[in-house]
Amino acid sequence: MKDDLLREATHALRQLPSPSTPFQVNETRRRILGSLHEGDRRRHQRWAFALPLAAVFIGSTAWAGASGKLPEIVKSLASVFTRAGDNEPVQQSPSLPPVSSTRTSGQANRSVAPQPKPAAAASDDTEVSEEARPTADAPVKPSPPPVRPNPPPPRQVQVPREVDAKSEAFDLYKRAHRAHFQKHDCVAAISGYEAYLNAAPQGRFRLEASYNRALCLVRMGHREQARQALRPFAEGRFGTYRQSEAERLLDALAEGDNP
Amino acid sequence: MNSGVGMTLDCLGVDALDTKRSLLSRLQQGDTAAVGEAYDLYHGAVRAFATRLLGDPVLAEDVVHDVFVALPRAVSRFRGESSVKTFLISIAVNHVRHYLRSAKRRRAATRRLSSEPPPSHGEDPERYAERVRMARLLSAALDGLSLDHRVAFVLCEVEERTSREAAAILAVPEATVRTRLFHAKRKLRQRLQREGIR
């Protein structure tokens, strides 16, 4: 191809008349000015929103600084944020099932069924269920608790900050739990659980404490007291929490009464 | 007599310069009406460049719109080293990038539908049709070039700007413009040959 043909094509492209009509030209002008006005309007809106906010913030900060309340406000704000941050894990940790006097549908019960496991006693709680099952399956014989050959050593427990605030009640529960499942001292365990329930009637471990107390009563042969303690669980007042175990224990107690 | 004409021209030049300065300062202050005035003065150049580069008048209108909407912000970068028209073309180069692909698609779609040449405005119809055909072929061949090569070709060959002007628009050295132009022309020749222009 000769170079002049490229030049000719270039010339043709250069000479091609603009297909834009005056209407299109004016329309584009109108669009441009419209876009600019819209941009201005948005900018004004942003300012109208941001300026009062900034003024309020600056004004209140200045007032707080002048009146000497700034450190206090900053401190309280910081504590609010810190508390909010601390609450998150607590909210995520298992909470107590709602105590209801009537049984709802199975699904609803199942939804409340996840049982609260104290972070500290999580490992020990597996022992609780293990402890409860044989008692439930077999007929209850009020006998001294079986001695375990090698009780596992107490594990290092990381106490969450929230629990730390109620450490006293929590310590009571821990002590009772240890007496129950490690030392197998039911008397100490019962008094420990009762002390915990008195100290924290709405505490996180109130259901565990009540149920474990009932287990201790069963073991010690205090049948009537044990029945009273187990009945709310069997009736489903705490959802399905330990319901079946409590029912079986009550049956076993009844069989023991009428051999 | 001659000196009188010269004085008048000088006065006109000074007036134009003043108008330009005042327009620029109003643009820098964000005066929307100044954008309208700039549009009235320079839309033709921007539109022609965008149409030649994209080969699509509809998308060219969009480029013109974008260029003048971006002008109030972009004008803060303007140092007065080039003309306002050159500055606007440099803004258009930055905006045209977004439209290249869709321009190519649109042109491919409309090529099948628009085989009829536009009205010839009194020119010999056969000659005019041939010219339109060549322009369209060149426009299609430009699609095969990279944006850099394409812009260099349109600026230097179609719009007949010097390599210095093109370098100012593209913010690259003159030698780079010349190299791009060389490669663009080589590729265009090959493409036009394939299309059947011999």
Side-chain angles (χ1 to χ4, degrees):
Chain A
M1 181 196 167
K2 288 178 187 170
D3 198 39
D4 57 345
L5 278 175
L6 176 62
R7 209 172 295 140
E8 204 179 318
T10 309
H11 180 74
L13 184 63
R14 193 184 307 134
Q15 294 300 314
L16 214 61
S18 170
S20 296
T21 60
F23 173 76
Q24 273 177 323
V25 170
N26 288 333
E27 181 59 22
T28 305
R29 189 184 200 278
R30 199 190 55 75
R31 268 174 64 204
I32 290 165
L33 296 181
S35 298
L36 290 170
H37 282 303
E38 179 66 17
D40 282 348
R41 199 180 59 78
R42 282 197 192 144
R43 210 170 305 123
H44 285 309
Q45 265 183 349
R46 271 200 294 271
W47 278 111
F49 182 72
L51 263 182
L53 278 181
V56 167
F57 177 74
I58 291 167
S60 52
T61 310
W63 171 79
S67 59
K69 290 184 178 174
L70 187 58
E72 202 178 311
I73 290 170
V74 170
K75 205 173 172 182
S76 63
L77 276 176
S79 70
V80 164
F81 284 116
T82 316
R83 213 173 296 147
D86 284 353
N87 279 343
E88 269 174 26
V90 174
Q91 282 165 359
Q92 284 168 359
S93 69
S95 57
L96 282 175
V99 178
S100 61
S101 56
T102 53
R103 286 183 71 173
T104 51
S105 68
Q107 185 62 37
N109 280 340
R110 241 170 276 134
S111 68
V112 294
Q115 295 158 11
K117 303 252 188 264
S123 60
D124 292 344
D125 264 9
T126 54
E127 289 174 21
V128 175
S129 53
E130 279 165 14
E131 195 72 20
R133 259 181 226 128
T135 335
D137 291 336
V140 179
K141 287 178 187 168
S143 57
V147 179
R148 290 195 169 191
N150 289 319
R155 293 179 190 173
Q156 278 289 326
V157 173
Q158 272 198 337
V159 182
R161 287 173 72 180
E162 184 70 14
V163 178
D164 214 1
K166 299 165 186 171
S167 57
E168 232 175 89
F170 184 62
D171 282 346
L172 285 173
Y173 179 81
K174 272 204 300 187
R175 244 178 277 143
H177 199 270
R178 202 173 296 127
H180 186 180
F181 294 107
Q182 287 175 17
K183 296 179 185 167
H184 306 290
D185 182 353
C186 282
V187 178
I190 286 175
S191 62
Y193 287 132
E194 284 174 352
Y196 170 78
L197 289 168
N198 286 332
Q202 295 301 316
R204 289 179 65 187
F205 308 117
R206 69 179 194 278
L207 290 186
E208 287 90 339
S210 302
Y211 185 77
N212 290 343
R213 177 179 164 273
L215 285 183
C216 290
L217 288 169
V218 170
R219 284 195 188 286
M220 288 176 70
H222 300 311
R223 290 167 176 254
E224 195 45 47
Q225 284 177 299
R227 261 190 218 103
Q228 282 177 10
L230 287 170
R231 211 162 283 139
F233 290 96
E235 286 170 357
R237 287 192 202 169
F238 309 119
T240 54
Y241 179 73
R242 299 292 188 197
Q243 189 181 16
S244 56
E245 287 101 325
E247 280 169 356
R248 275 182 289 180
L249 276 171
L250 284 172
D251 289 346
L253 284 171
E255 279 174 24
D257 285 343
N258 307 309
Chain B
M1 179 98 180
N2 275 345
S3 64
V5 172
M7 271 180 69
T8 312
L9 284 175
D10 278 348
C11 289
L12 281 174
V14 169
D15 283 352
L17 203 63
D18 281 348
T19 310
K20 184 182 150 189
R21 276 187 192 148
S22 133
L23 183 66
L24 282 171
S25 71
R26 282 167 57 211
L27 282 171
Q28 279 163 348
Q29 286 161 13
D31 184 356
T32 312
V35 178
E37 284 176 37
Y39 177 84
D40 293 339
L41 285 171
Y42 303 113
H43 74 88
V46 178
R47 182 174 285 103
F49 171 73
T51 310
R52 285 162 184 162
L53 197 63
L54 292 172
D56 186 311
V58 177
L59 291 176
E61 290 298 325
D62 288 343
V63 172
V64 173
H65 169 268
D66 288 0
V67 167
F68 284 96
V69 168
L71 181 59
R73 280 190 178 188
V75 80
S76 59
R77 296 198 309 266
F78 185 63
R79 299 276 170 264
E81 290 154 358
S82 59
S83 69
V84 179
K85 196 195 289 183
T86 304
F87 179 64
L88 285 167
I89 298 293
S90 71
I91 300 174
V93 170
N94 290 327
H95 280 82
V96 89
R97 190 183 305 273
H98 309 297
Y99 292 94
L100 272 178
R101 199 172 289 173
S102 47
K104 192 176 174 180
R105 274 201 307 269
R106 276 171 60 92
R107 211 169 26 255
T110 54
R111 197 175 296 143
R112 292 189 295 272
L113 303 170
S114 60
S115 53
E116 287 296 313
S120 63
H121 303 288
E123 192 182 347
D124 171 27
E126 201 175 328
R127 189 178 159 74
Y128 181 75
E130 178 59 19
R131 209 149 58 83
V132 168
R133 189 183 76 88
M134 288 186 86
R136 280 185 180 159
L137 281 172
L138 181 58
S139 215
L142 280 171
D143 282 340
L145 300 185
S146 69
L147 178 66
D148 289 340
H149 288 176
R150 190 171 177 152
V151 171
F153 182 81
V154 170
L155 286 175
C156 297
E157 291 295 312
V158 183
E159 300 211 324
E160 296 179 305
R161 292 172 189 271
T162 61
S163 52
R164 177 180 285 189
E165 273 181 298
I169 288 169
L170 299 173
V172 294
E174 274 184 67
T176 306
V177 174
R178 282 196 288 269
T179 310
R180 286 178 185 174
L181 183 61
F182 170 78
H183 288 295
K185 284 166 88 171
R186 186 172 53 82
K187 284 177 189 168
L188 282 173
R189 270 186 218 111
Q190 288 170 358
R191 283 179 184 275
L192 288 174
Q193 237 169 352
R194 277 207 297 269
E195 291 290 333
I197 295 184
R198 290 174 200 288

